[in-house]
Amino acid sequence: MAIAVASGWFNALASAGTSRHTISSQRLFSSPQISAARLIVPKAASKSQNPKKRTPKDRSRISSPEKEANIEKLSRRSRDERQYSNADDYNDTKNAEQPQSTTFKSFGTQRKNAKGFMGNLKDQQVEAAKIQDASFLNAVVKVYCTHTAPDYSLPWQKQRQYTSTGSAFMIGDGKLLTNAHCVEHNTQVKVKRRGDDTKYVAKVLAKGMECDIALLSVENETFWKGAEPLQFGHLPRLQDPVTVVGYPLGGDTISVTKGVVSRIEVTSYAHGSGELLGIQIDAAINPGNSGGPAFNDQGECIGVAFQVYRSDDVENIGYVIPTTVVSHFLDDYERNGKYTGFPSLGILLQKLENPALRACLKVPSNEGVLVRRVESTSGASNVLKEGDVIVSFDGVEVGSEGTVPFRSTERIAFRYLISQKFTGDIAELGIIRSGAFMKVHTAMNPRVHLVPYHIEGGQPSYLIVAGLVFTPLSEPLIDEECEDSIGLKLLTKARYSMARFKGEQIVILSQVLANEVNIGYEDMSNEQVLKFNGTRIKNIHHLAHLVDSCTDKYLIFEFEDNYLAVLEREASSAASQCILKDYGIPSERSSDLLEPYVDPIGENQVIEHHDLGESPVTNSDFGFDGLQWA
């Protein structure tokens, strides 16, 4: 499990229902001393009240202590700023008082040196005037988004809509950049320029969930009159000044905060499922700043503000998406006409810092990382084997601690090189296999997730058979149902299993809509269905195909631990329309299941059980305890 938790105040801004915990999967710290750390995605307050979520059962929404130790993207929709501080402080009021005492102490120190304080104040006023007159501020716009998120527990409907605000900026060619989480599940997006009282409708062209970037366009030419797009700058250096501009809470006009670059490294992206290059800054990033630009002293954009890190032990840690990641997103869109994602090698790695381990693997020098496991869906599955040692990537040497040279005097995680590739690119790997050095080539493709972090198309698939509701397991569903409701065994599969082929899903019986035809099964919920009439299920579409083509007298569903649910086929068919009418459900299946079924691996290929007992894999292995994904 991860050890960072997202701040509660964002929970009111971006999702319907009560507090929701999207479990990301990377440990930010291995030290047990750091508790209640929170990596969060800031977003402005919503203008609609959060309705109480209605579910088929009275499910508990109480967060477990284990949940409060994860990197999460939370959302809250409330304009009451008192909730921000209250929800942000998971401890007692003593912790909440600490920043006040610190501020008071600093103020007292300034009064002792009043002359110096007044001089600094004048300098700050002059600097503020320069920023106020800067033309680049006019390229920053306010985003108004109306969201309608899917209801993953009741997948045939959506949740009540809500609104939120964020920031964006002009990049030329009639386009704007913002964060993906600012326009997630959008039904309407509007933007307003600084000093203007007119809102213009914007269209979302592309969303990169893992990099948390979205591309917008505005067709109205009036919006672009006199507009000057921002210019992108280079990756900054440590201690370089940085200015964050946006429309956060606290007012309706544009806001400017200043700080310096504190750190540049591969970091966890709370909205996505992986790690990419990130810039850590100490300038304030608040709800509403999301999607706004960060500038250097030359007025060049060096990145996009997108998340902050909250902890009782740290303060003033914000993150900016650097221009290298932004450029990759834009180039990907230009190449393919859509966003295809950041590629992955699909391998689990182990560091080789121990000399005896290197000697055992016949690695002659202090270099390389060990391949512990290769995903069968990865392009590297045909060229790499367990036990191989990767010593170079495209000619760049890989150190034994899993890092590569970065700029002149720095080193960075090996994953950085992989993230520079595009889908379909070929990478050259230098490996040591059984003591012999060789070079191999592999195609780069995005990683295939057995349990997705985001639902493609927005609406989850579902199938209703005689009141039995089947749907694929996903992180948003786990988030909505809460971990206690999902169960330990299913959570273990979600965290530790890998996809064996593209298109594989864990299909679960989420609930049973009570009816005479399904008497005795009413209490079943969140159980994985393994087989239908003896055939192992590959995905939700496969299950629908099996049910449609069945001519047997009985429909036999086999679940975990040999639990059976048997229905009469003709009785089930006769009862289906009545059940749909009683529960107000428009269709027995989602629209995507109406398409012809295409088998992802072939009809005759045998599917084995997921092996959880050997080399368990979870995203929390990224980069710690000697393990990391690449």
Side-chain angles (χ1 to χ4, degrees), residues 20 179 519:
R20 308 171 66 182
N179 284 145
I519 286 178

Side-chain angles (χ1 to χ4, degrees), residues 216-375:
L216 312 179
S217 68
V218 178
E219 296 181 355
N220 195 315
E221 294 182 0
T222 306
F223 174 80
W224 299 101
K225 187 176 180 180
E228 295 184 11
L230 298 183
Q231 301 297 318
F232 287 117
H234 297 293
L235 194 66
R237 298 280 179 176
L238 296 182
Q239 298 187 31
D240 279 358
V242 59
T243 302
V244 177
V245 180
Y247 291 87
L249 285 175
D252 295 326
T253 58
I254 200 165
S255 170
V256 177
T257 58
K258 299 204 69 177
V260 298
V261 175
S262 307
R263 181 182 292 151
I264 300 176
E265 65 178 359
V266 174
T267 189
S268 172
Y269 277 45
H271 187 67
S273 58
E275 294 185 337
L276 297 169
L277 191 67
I279 302 174
Q280 179 183 318
I281 63 174
D282 65 356
I285 297 178
N286 295 304
N289 271 126
S290 288
F295 297 99
N296 58 21
D297 274 356
Q298 288 73 46
E300 298 172 326
C301 177
I302 62 166
V304 185
F306 76 116
Q307 68 186 25
V308 296
Y309 187 78
R310 299 281 186 186
S311 170
D312 296 332
D313 303 310
V314 299
E315 57 185 30
N316 294 339
I317 295 182
Y319 291 94
V320 172
I321 304 171
T323 53
T324 52
V325 176
V326 174
S327 297
H328 189 287
F329 169 83
L330 295 174
D331 290 345
D332 186 11
Y333 178 77
E334 291 296 326
R335 287 186 180 194
N336 303 289
K338 62 179 182 179
Y339 173 74
T340 62
F342 285 76
S344 167
L345 281 177
I347 56 178
L348 183 64
L349 301 175
Q350 177 179 342
K351 300 174 184 180
L352 294 182
E353 297 177 290
N354 186 275
L357 178 57
R358 292 196 301 270
C360 178
L361 295 170
K362 300 179 181 179
V363 179
S365 58
N366 186 17
E367 62 179 349
V369 285
L370 174 65
V371 177
R372 291 188 62 240
R373 197 165 184 179
V374 184
E375 291 184 320

Side-chain angles (χ1 to χ4, degrees), residues 78-130:
S78 170
R79 300 200 63 164
D80 187 354
E81 291 187 15
R82 289 174 298 176
Q83 290 184 349
Y84 298 155
S85 58
N86 292 341
D88 225 9
D89 296 330
Y90 281 86
N91 296 328
D92 54 21
T93 55
K94 180 180 178 180
N95 291 331
E97 294 172 356
Q98 289 178 354
Q100 296 178 1
S101 61
T102 302
T103 304
F104 179 77
K105 184 177 181 180
S106 300
F107 180 73
T109 303
Q110 291 169 348
R111 289 192 52 135
K112 289 180 181 179
N113 189 2
K115 183 177 180 180
F117 172 71
M118 295 303 296
N120 292 336
L121 181 60
K122 290 180 180 179
D123 293 341
Q124 292 172 4
Q125 290 174 343
V126 172
E127 189 174 1
K130 291 181 180 179

Side-chain angles (χ1 to χ4, degrees), residues 40-67:
I40 60 175
V41 181
K43 195 172 183 181
S46 161
K47 297 180 180 178
S48 62
Q49 200 64 23
N50 182 14
K52 184 177 180 181
K53 178 85 164 32
R54 293 192 300 173
T55 55
K57 299 192 207 92
D58 183 17
R59 298 188 176 97
S60 171
R61 300 294 183 192
I62 300 176
S63 301
S64 63
E66 185 177 357
K67 229 181 233 207

Side-chain angles (χ1 to χ4, degrees), residues 119-196:
N120 292 336
L121 181 60
K122 290 180 180 179
D123 293 341
Q124 292 172 4
Q125 290 174 343
V126 172
E127 189 174 1
K130 291 181 180 179
I131 294 175
Q132 182 70 20
D133 296 335
S135 60
F136 60 74
L137 294 183
N138 295 324
V140 185
V141 304
K142 191 170 185 176
V143 178
Y144 301 82
C145 185
T146 302
H147 311 257
T148 309
D151 191 326
Y152 296 95
S153 297
L154 307 173
W156 50 85
Q157 67 184 32
K158 289 182 177 290
Q159 300 178 26
R160 185 176 178 177
Q161 74 175 24
Y162 61 95
T163 60
S164 69
T165 62
S167 306
F169 59 94
M170 304 174 183
I171 60 172
D173 197 25
K175 294 182 177 62
L176 300 157
L177 272 186
T178 187
N179 284 145
H181 73 260
C182 288
V183 294
E184 187 177 21
H185 306 308
N186 70 89
T187 51
Q188 185 184 66
V189 180
K190 294 179 290 185
V191 293
K192 186 176 73 171
R193 291 184 59 177
R194 180 190 181 203
D196 196 352

Side-chain angles (χ1 to χ4, degrees), residues 448-484:
V448 176
H449 293 278
L450 179 63
V451 179
Y453 286 81
H454 298 275
I455 303 297
E456 209 169 315
Q459 197 68 18
S461 303
Y462 73 91
L463 174 68
I464 302 177
V465 182
L468 276 64
V469 182
F470 298 97
T471 188
L473 185 65
S474 64
E475 288 293 345
L477 178 60
I478 295 174
D479 185 23
E480 191 168 286
E481 290 287 297
C482 87
E483 292 186 5
D484 295 337

